[in-house]
Amino acid sequence: MLPGTTGSNAGAGSGQQTTLGVMGGGQLGRMFVQAAQSMGYFTVVLDPDVISPAGLVSHYHIQSDYLDEQGLAQLMQRCAAITTEFENVPAPALITLGAHRPVAPSAEAVGIAQDRIKEKAHFVRCGVPVAPYAVIETPAQLAAVADDLLPGILKTARLGYDGKGQARVSSRAELTAAWAEFKNVPCVLEKLLPLQMECSVIVARGWDGACVNFAPQLNLHRGGILAVTQAYEGNMPLALAEQAVAATKSIADELQYVGVLCVEFFILADDSLVVNEMAPRPHNSGHYTLDACDLSQFDLQVRTLAGLPLVQPRQHSPAIMLNLLGDLWEGGVSPRWDQVLALPGAHLHLYGKLKASKGRKMGHLTFTGATVAEVRANALAGAELLGIDAF
Ligand code: ATP
Ligand code: MG
């Protein structure tokens, strides 16, 4: 049941239609809207973009800025509850909404995930190991950086994504230059770690604290952007998988988080686990759940928001997901989907973006099958057809 409501909160057939809202109109919002609609909910998207992927498929689209008072008022008027699909929604907007409607995740949780400095402090509070790092907000802090943090990666505290707002630095001179390049905004310098693998864990936590999870998925990045996700039993050592799930749950519990949360981890050369960052929303690495699980990460986002029961999702097929970046549309020519879709177990998801550009997430392609070997073979064939450097 939605907190503060009485009677049936079912999306369909309950007399008055329940409407759920989402801040942001990207592909994550689109898949949320689709999941909500399949349960009979009406949906509202707030996004300034006239042709946003979610706005195009939602019952209502409020085309306003995220901080526009009228836009926010309209959203609250229409919606029983509101979620967000990207972490850079201005916190004041979520505070305004949260004063009048259930908002999940909360402004506070999103505010922590938006800021690498607060985020790392939260991980440390939870007792989950982070990469050695230093906060750089002042020239004095820059000068005081310990030598053993180099070579490292300088990351802006706010507004980074897909490797943007990051610079690899190997000397103090490079560090100083990189910080100047970032206009001396607050940053963290992280020690460059020897990564063996990267994985992520997605949990959904309800208003009552109930928490369910997907098994950790293994992620390959290219150029700072997720390229491939491998989700199947045996993708990583069991002990590490268990450790990653436990760490994610403690990170969510400690925040009293409500909604879907993704935590990204590094697995180092010595098999130790280090937390990288969290996303207060469904995550690109969880898109395979749409086709390989009985409940997707978006179904769970709807359930958490609407206060419906959370049950542990079950993966019914091994899966490999390939991200489809704008690079594949070079020269304005669409990839040969007829060839790709001839492969067994291929599930194509395109986000309805009208313009392709380098690095832009246009869609994803998930392969499922009876066995890991079969899924790997078909995913490799698909990657080859598309010219993706897979795995
Ligand atoms: P996202 O799109 O996931 O939000 P982001 O821009 O926030 O990405 P990070 O997740 O911090 O960036 O880093 C992107 C990638 O860079 C990581 O997935 C990892 O491959 C690499 N990386 C980041 N930090 C480190 C580190 N300390 N040591 C080694 N590699 C790193
Ligand atoms: Mg990341």
Side-chain angles (χ1 to χ4, degrees), residues 116 155 161-163 166 198 221 224 264 266 276-278 283:
R116 285 189 196 275
K155 302 181 179 182
Y161 70 99
D162 289 347
Q166 299 200 4
E198 293 186 61
H221 294 82
E264 294 179 64
F266 300 143
N276 174 24
E277 59 173 359
M278 62 181 169
H283 194 257

mmCIF file of all heavy atoms in Angstrom, residues 116 155 161-163 166 198 221 224 264 266 276-278 283, ligand 2:
data_model
loop_
_atom_site.group_PDB
_atom_site.id
_atom_site.type_symbol
_atom_site.label_atom_id
_atom_site.label_comp_id
_atom_site.label_asym_id
_atom_site.label_seq_id
_atom_site.Cartn_x
_atom_site.Cartn_y
_atom_site.Cartn_z
ATOM 1 N N ARG A 116 30.379 12.410 -4.551
ATOM 2 C CA ARG A 116 31.335 11.345 -4.261
ATOM 3 C C ARG A 116 31.949 11.467 -2.858
ATOM 4 O O ARG A 116 32.339 10.466 -2.270
ATOM 5 C CB ARG A 116 32.481 11.348 -5.281
ATOM 6 C CG ARG A 116 32.092 10.784 -6.627
ATOM 7 C CD ARG A 116 33.333 10.619 -7.501
ATOM 8 N NE ARG A 116 32.969 10.451 -8.897
ATOM 9 C CZ ARG A 116 32.647 9.280 -9.450
ATOM 10 N NH1 ARG A 116 32.652 8.178 -8.738
ATOM 11 N NH2 ARG A 116 32.324 9.210 -10.728
ATOM 12 N N LYS A 155 38.467 12.605 -9.739
ATOM 13 C CA LYS A 155 37.050 12.562 -10.132
ATOM 14 C C LYS A 155 36.340 13.759 -9.524
ATOM 15 O O LYS A 155 36.477 14.007 -8.319
ATOM 16 C CB LYS A 155 36.386 11.277 -9.606
ATOM 17 C CG LYS A 155 37.043 9.985 -10.077
ATOM 18 C CD LYS A 155 36.297 8.756 -9.532
ATOM 19 C CE LYS A 155 36.939 7.467 -10.035
ATOM 20 N NZ LYS A 155 36.235 6.256 -9.568
ATOM 21 N N TYR A 161 29.586 11.101 -15.013
ATOM 22 C CA TYR A 161 28.953 9.848 -15.448
ATOM 23 C C TYR A 161 29.680 9.339 -16.669
ATOM 24 O O TYR A 161 30.306 10.100 -17.398
ATOM 25 C CB TYR A 161 27.459 10.046 -15.761
ATOM 26 C CG TYR A 161 27.209 10.861 -17.008
ATOM 27 C CD1 TYR A 161 26.914 10.245 -18.223
ATOM 28 C CD2 TYR A 161 27.310 12.243 -16.975
ATOM 29 C CE1 TYR A 161 26.706 10.995 -19.371
ATOM 30 C CE2 TYR A 161 27.109 12.991 -18.122
ATOM 31 C CZ TYR A 161 26.803 12.368 -19.311
ATOM 32 O OH TYR A 161 26.619 13.099 -20.450
ATOM 33 N N ASP A 162 29.601 8.029 -16.871
ATOM 34 C CA ASP A 162 30.230 7.401 -18.033
ATOM 35 C C ASP A 162 31.677 7.869 -18.238
ATOM 36 O O ASP A 162 32.111 8.108 -19.361
ATOM 37 C CB ASP A 162 29.423 7.686 -19.317
ATOM 38 C CG ASP A 162 28.108 6.916 -19.332
ATOM 39 O OD1 ASP A 162 27.950 6.007 -18.500
ATOM 40 O OD2 ASP A 162 27.254 7.231 -20.174
ATOM 41 N N GLY A 163 32.403 7.993 -17.136
ATOM 42 C CA GLY A 163 33.809 8.363 -17.233
ATOM 43 C C GLY A 163 34.038 9.859 -17.446
ATOM 44 O O GLY A 163 35.185 10.318 -17.517
ATOM 45 N N GLN A 166 36.443 12.831 -15.148
ATOM 46 C CA GLN A 166 37.527 12.023 -14.583
ATOM 47 C C GLN A 166 38.807 12.241 -15.370
ATOM 48 O O GLN A 166 38.760 12.382 -16.589
ATOM 49 C CB GLN A 166 37.186 10.535 -14.670
ATOM 50 C CG GLN A 166 35.950 10.183 -13.895
ATOM 51 C CD GLN A 166 35.884 8.717 -13.567
ATOM 52 O OE1 GLN A 166 36.804 7.964 -13.861
ATOM 53 N NE2 GLN A 166 34.813 8.315 -12.927
ATOM 54 N N GLU A 198 35.076 -6.186 -12.505
ATOM 55 C CA GLU A 198 34.122 -5.233 -11.919
ATOM 56 C C GLU A 198 32.762 -5.906 -11.857
ATOM 57 O O GLU A 198 32.386 -6.643 -12.775
ATOM 58 C CB GLU A 198 34.035 -3.968 -12.768
ATOM 59 C CG GLU A 198 35.318 -3.166 -12.743
ATOM 60 C CD GLU A 198 35.184 -1.841 -13.468
ATOM 61 O OE1 GLU A 198 34.355 -1.012 -13.055
ATOM 62 O OE2 GLU A 198 35.902 -1.646 -14.458
ATOM 63 N N HIS A 221 33.857 -2.582 -18.870
ATOM 64 C CA HIS A 221 33.757 -1.202 -19.347
ATOM 65 C C HIS A 221 34.745 -0.970 -20.469
ATOM 66 O O HIS A 221 35.819 -1.553 -20.481
ATOM 67 C CB HIS A 221 34.070 -0.215 -18.208
ATOM 68 C CG HIS A 221 33.066 -0.245 -17.104
ATOM 69 N ND1 HIS A 221 33.099 -1.188 -16.108
ATOM 70 C CD2 HIS A 221 31.998 0.534 -16.845
ATOM 71 C CE1 HIS A 221 32.083 -0.973 -15.282
ATOM 72 N NE2 HIS A 221 31.403 0.059 -15.699
ATOM 73 N N GLY A 224 35.476 3.914 -20.105
ATOM 74 C CA GLY A 224 34.702 4.483 -18.999
ATOM 75 C C GLY A 224 33.197 4.252 -19.112
ATOM 76 O O GLY A 224 32.432 4.703 -18.276
ATOM 77 N N GLU A 264 28.260 -0.446 -7.355
ATOM 78 C CA GLU A 264 29.317 -0.969 -8.223
ATOM 79 C C GLU A 264 30.568 -1.274 -7.402
ATOM 80 O O GLU A 264 30.950 -0.482 -6.542
ATOM 81 C CB GLU A 264 29.676 0.061 -9.297
ATOM 82 C CG GLU A 264 28.550 0.340 -10.285
ATOM 83 C CD GLU A 264 28.965 1.388 -11.304
ATOM 84 O OE1 GLU A 264 29.900 1.130 -12.081
ATOM 85 O OE2 GLU A 264 28.371 2.475 -11.301
ATOM 86 N N PHE A 266 34.723 -3.003 -7.370
ATOM 87 C CA PHE A 266 35.933 -3.502 -8.027
ATOM 88 C C PHE A 266 36.341 -4.783 -7.320
ATOM 89 O O PHE A 266 36.240 -4.868 -6.089
ATOM 90 C CB PHE A 266 37.100 -2.518 -7.871
ATOM 91 C CG PHE A 266 36.855 -1.154 -8.460
ATOM 92 C CD1 PHE A 266 37.335 -0.016 -7.817
ATOM 93 C CD2 PHE A 266 36.184 -1.006 -9.666
ATOM 94 C CE1 PHE A 266 37.134 1.250 -8.358
ATOM 95 C CE2 PHE A 266 35.981 0.258 -10.214
ATOM 96 C CZ PHE A 266 36.458 1.383 -9.558
ATOM 97 N N ASN A 276 32.988 0.909 -5.417
ATOM 98 C CA ASN A 276 33.292 2.059 -6.269
ATOM 99 C C ASN A 276 32.274 3.166 -6.058
ATOM 100 O O ASN A 276 32.595 4.212 -5.508
ATOM 101 C CB ASN A 276 33.335 1.608 -7.739
ATOM 102 C CG ASN A 276 33.502 2.775 -8.708
ATOM 103 O OD1 ASN A 276 34.010 3.832 -8.326
ATOM 104 N ND2 ASN A 276 33.070 2.606 -9.936
ATOM 105 N N GLU A 277 31.050 2.944 -6.467
ATOM 106 C CA GLU A 277 30.035 3.993 -6.327
ATOM 107 C C GLU A 277 28.656 3.373 -6.343
ATOM 108 O O GLU A 277 28.507 2.180 -6.597
ATOM 109 C CB GLU A 277 30.174 5.025 -7.449
ATOM 110 C CG GLU A 277 30.028 4.421 -8.830
ATOM 111 C CD GLU A 277 30.005 5.443 -9.954
ATOM 112 O OE1 GLU A 277 30.083 6.644 -9.694
ATOM 113 O OE2 GLU A 277 29.880 5.010 -11.113
ATOM 114 N N MET A 278 27.645 4.215 -6.058
ATOM 115 C CA MET A 278 26.278 3.692 -6.089
ATOM 116 C C MET A 278 25.409 4.577 -6.973
ATOM 117 O O MET A 278 25.696 5.753 -7.180
ATOM 118 C CB MET A 278 25.693 3.605 -4.680
ATOM 119 C CG MET A 278 25.569 4.922 -3.953
ATOM 120 S SD MET A 278 24.898 4.647 -2.287
ATOM 121 C CE MET A 278 25.154 6.270 -1.551
ATOM 122 N N HIS A 283 19.874 0.323 -12.929
ATOM 123 C CA HIS A 283 21.202 0.554 -13.506
ATOM 124 C C HIS A 283 21.349 -0.183 -14.831
ATOM 125 O O HIS A 283 20.760 -1.250 -15.027
ATOM 126 C CB HIS A 283 22.260 0.056 -12.504
ATOM 127 C CG HIS A 283 23.646 0.504 -12.798
ATOM 128 N ND1 HIS A 283 24.581 -0.328 -13.368
ATOM 129 C CD2 HIS A 283 24.262 1.695 -12.594
ATOM 130 C CE1 HIS A 283 25.726 0.335 -13.489
ATOM 131 N NE2 HIS A 283 25.553 1.564 -13.038
HETATM 132 MG MG MG B 2 30.606 3.790 -12.480
#
